[in-house]
């Protein structure tokens, strides 16, 4: 049986970060500019805490200015909106990221709407979503941008490829489908109401799965030779019953990895595939925002 190429997302992210670091050094040397990233965290979601720390550390490592604003969970919405407006006006800040999910009763849509679209490095404002849907340039969500860049590096020209995206969230599935469409793929966007999901997946030369259901996509849903991008991150009990009884867990993707390895031509593992790329592409978006705002 053939074994798929395992895509090393960590190595890929290292390469992207090194490119960003070189570009940041050049911006400093030529224009005296330092891209600045502000991360706003409200409350204490433990999963977000690690991720936010990595964002700050990696921004500094590539030579950026980085600030993290930590607000208590009970922060009034008006105060959070005022902070976003302050960051919009701050010339040292080029990228603003408000960590989701926000604790209740904060309204994420209202907070996102307050972010200056030129500083919207998560690509979540309606302006950037609309620009993406219209095929215009803008700042787009980091994970799908990372997946598209990876696919282009792996396959070259994507023109005419049959692509299936499973999952239609605003953060992942929808922008992924729009980016693949812009790259001239023929795209199907599947979701929880899709009939014969297995049959739809079987048509894909490029299969991107972003659902959040452990090992939903089985080996026999995959077209032989397809490239599989598994975005899902799911925590399940350890395989070892003893460890499982102690509450130990492991991470799996949305694709049955062992089965997929035998059928796909390339696949991103979980962990170590798509996950590490997201922050690298956040830094790339911050650089892009800085260049656009400063006109260099
Ligand atoms: P989400 O907002 O919960 O959206 C999930 C999507 O999957 C929805 O569109 C839903 O369909 C669809 N879906 C649910 N069950 C399904 C099923 N049985 N068959 C087909 N489609 C189904 O999730 P998300 O934010 O896009 O994230 C998806 C996964 O990717 C999660 O595991 C998340 O942790 C991971 N993720 C990873 C990264 C990263 O690596 N950095 C970044 C983003 C997300 P409906 O719309 O019909 O409900």
């Amino acid at each position: 049986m053939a074994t798929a190429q395992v895509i090393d997302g960590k190595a890929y992210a290292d390469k992207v970060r090194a490119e960003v670091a070189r570009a940041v050094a050049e911006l400093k040397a030529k224009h005296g500019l330092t891209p600045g990233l502000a991360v706003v965290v409200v409350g204490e979601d433990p999963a977000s805490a690690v991720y936010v720390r990595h964002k700050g550390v990696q921004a500094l490592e590539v030579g950026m200015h980085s600030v993290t604003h930590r607000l208590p969970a009970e922060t009034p919405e008006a105060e959070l909106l005022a902070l976003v407006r302050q960051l919009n006006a701050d010339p040292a800040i080029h990228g603003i990221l408000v960590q989701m999910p926000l604790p209740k009763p904060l309204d994420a849509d209202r907070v996102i709407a307050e972010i200056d679209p030129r500083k919207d490095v998560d690509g979540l404002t309606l302006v950037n979503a609309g620009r993406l849907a219209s095929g215009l340039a803008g700042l787009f969500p980091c994970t799908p941008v990372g997946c598209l860049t990876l696919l282009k590096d792996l396959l070259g020209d994507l023109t005419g490829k049959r692509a299936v995206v499973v999952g239609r969230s605003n953060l992942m599935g929808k922008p992924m489908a729009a980016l693949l469409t812009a790259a001239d793929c023929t795209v199907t966007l599947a979701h929880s109401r899709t009939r014969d999901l297995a049959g739809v997946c079987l048509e894909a030369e490029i299969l991107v799965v972003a659902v959040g259901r452990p090992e939903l996509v089985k080996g026999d849903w995959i077209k032989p030779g397809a490239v599989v991008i598994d975005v899902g991150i799911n925590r399940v009990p350890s395989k070892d019953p003893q460890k499982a009884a102690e509450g130990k867990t492991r991470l799996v993707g949305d694709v049955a990895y062992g089965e997929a390895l035998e059928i796909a031509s390339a696949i991103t593992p979980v962990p170590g595939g798509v996950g590490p790329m997201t922050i690298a592409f956040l830094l790339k978006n911050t650089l892009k925002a800085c260049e656009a705002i400063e006109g260099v």
Side-chain angles (χ1 to χ4, degrees), residues 203-290:
E203 290 175 13
E205 297 170 270
I206 294 170
L207 180 59
V208 183
V209 192
V211 168
R213 300 271 180 280
E215 302 182 332
L216 171 80
V217 172
K218 311 298 174 212
D220 60 5
W221 296 22
I222 297 168
K223 186 185 178 77
V227 174
V228 178
I229 306 291
D230 187 354
V231 184
I233 304 174
N234 308 288
R235 202 163 273 288
V236 297
S238 169
K239 271 185 182 164
D240 179 334
Q242 175 77 37
K243 287 187 178 159
E246 291 164 8
K248 295 262 165 37
T249 58
R250 65 193 169 102
L251 290 181
V252 297
D254 288 344
V255 177
Y257 182 71
E259 295 174 20
L261 264 185
E262 303 304 323
I263 297 161
S265 62
I267 184 166
T268 56
V270 178
V274 173
M277 290 174 4
T278 298
I279 299 180
F281 281 88
L282 168 70
L283 300 176
K284 208 165 172 176
N285 264 358
T286 306
L287 172 68
K288 190 173 155 182
C290 174

Side-chain angles (χ1 to χ4, degrees), residues 143 166-169 171-172 191-192 197 210-213 216 231-234 274-275 278:
T143 310
V166 190
R168 56 175 163 180
S169 68
L171 185 69
M172 188 55 223
H191 45 77
S192 68
L197 184 59
V211 168
R213 300 271 180 280
L216 171 80
V231 184
I233 304 174
N234 308 288
V274 173
T278 298

